[in-house]
Amino acid sequence: MPASVDTLTAKGLRTRTRIVDTATRLILANGAHGTTMEAIQHESEVSASQLYHYFDNKRDLLAAVIQASTEIVLANTRLLEMRSLRDLRAWRDAVVDAARATGCRVGCPLASFAEDIPDSDPELLELVAAGLRRLTAAVATGLTAMRDAGELLSDTDIDRLALVVVTAYEGGMLVSRAQRAPEPLEAALDAAVACVEARATG
C-alpha cells in the first residue's frame, strides 16, 4: 500500500514530486509503454524501495502523472486570465511560440496520455477525460466573460465554442508533434479563433 500524500513529510512530498515530474517527462518523450519503472527510478535518483513506497505499480504512478499534469495545464496564467478576444489571440500566440521553441517535441500531456491508455482501463481514461473537461470549462469561463462584456453575441453557445477551441488545441498539438512542425497547430488554432471571432459583436 503506497504512502498517502496527506501523511508525507515535506521531504517525502519533495521526493514524490520528483518521481512524478521525472515520470511525466519520460512518458511524454517515450510513451507509457516505452517507459519502465526502472528508468523512472534511475532518472529520479531514488531506490526501488523508495519508488514503491510512494507507488504500488506503474499504473498507480501513471494516475498520479495524469493528475499532476492536469493541474499544470490548468495553471496556465494566460488561460486563467483570458477575458477578451485580445487575450484569446495572445494565448494562441503563446501556445504556438512554445511549441516552436521545443521543436514541437512536446504536446499537451492530456491528449498524449489518452493515446497510451487502453480501453480496458476506464478509470485512467476517466482521469484524462476529467482533465479535458476542466480545461474546456476554463476556456468556457473566458468566453463567458467575453460575452458578458459585450464582445460576443448574447446567444453564443459558449460550451460548444469552448469545445471547438480545446479540440483545436489538443488536435493541433498532436499533429504538430507527429510532424515536428508548428503549422498544423497554427492552422487549428487560427480556425478556432476565427470561430470565436465570428460571434463577435463588433
Side-chain angles (χ1 to χ4, degrees):
M1 186 75 176
S4 169
V5 175
D6 295 334
T7 63
L8 294 178
T9 63
K11 182 179 179 182
L13 281 172
R14 287 195 298 271
T15 301
R16 185 184 187 278
T17 298
R18 186 167 77 251
I19 293 170
V20 172
D21 289 347
T22 300
T24 301
R25 175 171 54 81
L26 292 177
I27 291 170
L28 284 175
N30 307 310
H33 297 297
T35 302
T36 65
M37 290 292 273
E38 290 76 13
I40 295 169
Q41 176 195 330
H42 175 74
E43 292 290 329
S44 302
E45 299 181 337
V46 298
S47 66
S49 60
Q50 280 181 299
L51 180 60
Y52 287 99
H53 173 69
Y54 298 106
F55 304 100
D56 268 344
N57 48 47
K58 185 175 175 181
R59 182 190 179 282
D60 187 27
L61 177 52
L62 182 55
V65 165
I66 293 170
Q67 291 168 323
S69 296
T70 297
E71 298 308 320
I72 291 172
V73 170
L74 292 171
N76 182 291
T77 303
R78 288 189 182 277
L79 176 65
L80 294 176
E81 296 178 356
M82 188 187 297
R83 294 294 182 270
S84 67
L85 287 169
R86 182 177 180 179
D87 292 340
L88 175 64
R89 298 183 191 106
W91 171 77
R92 174 267 183 214
D93 292 344
V95 168
V96 173
D97 288 345
R100 185 178 286 110
T102 64
C104 297
R105 284 178 167 77
V106 179
C108 176
L110 295 179
S112 298
F113 295 148
E115 289 188 300
D116 269 349
I117 300 171
D119 290 342
S120 57
D121 200 331
E123 291 182 5
L124 282 185
L125 285 172
E126 174 53 29
L127 282 179
V128 175
L132 290 170
R133 286 195 294 270
R134 290 178 63 192
L135 176 58
T136 305
V139 173
T141 296
L143 295 175
T144 298
M146 296 176 208
R147 183 188 63 191
D148 292 348
E151 281 201 79
L152 300 181
L153 297 171
S154 60
D155 63 346
T156 297
D157 188 337
I158 295 296
D159 292 338
R160 188 172 182 83
L161 206 52
L163 277 175
V164 169
V165 173
V166 171
T167 301
Y169 168 66
E170 297 291 352
M173 280 281 196
L174 285 174
V175 179
S176 279
R177 185 182 179 193
Q179 296 184 359
R180 295 290 192 267
E183 286 78 15
L185 177 61
E186 285 184 297
L189 288 179
D190 284 346
V193 170
C195 285
V196 177
E197 291 174 336
R199 302 298 302 168
T201 55

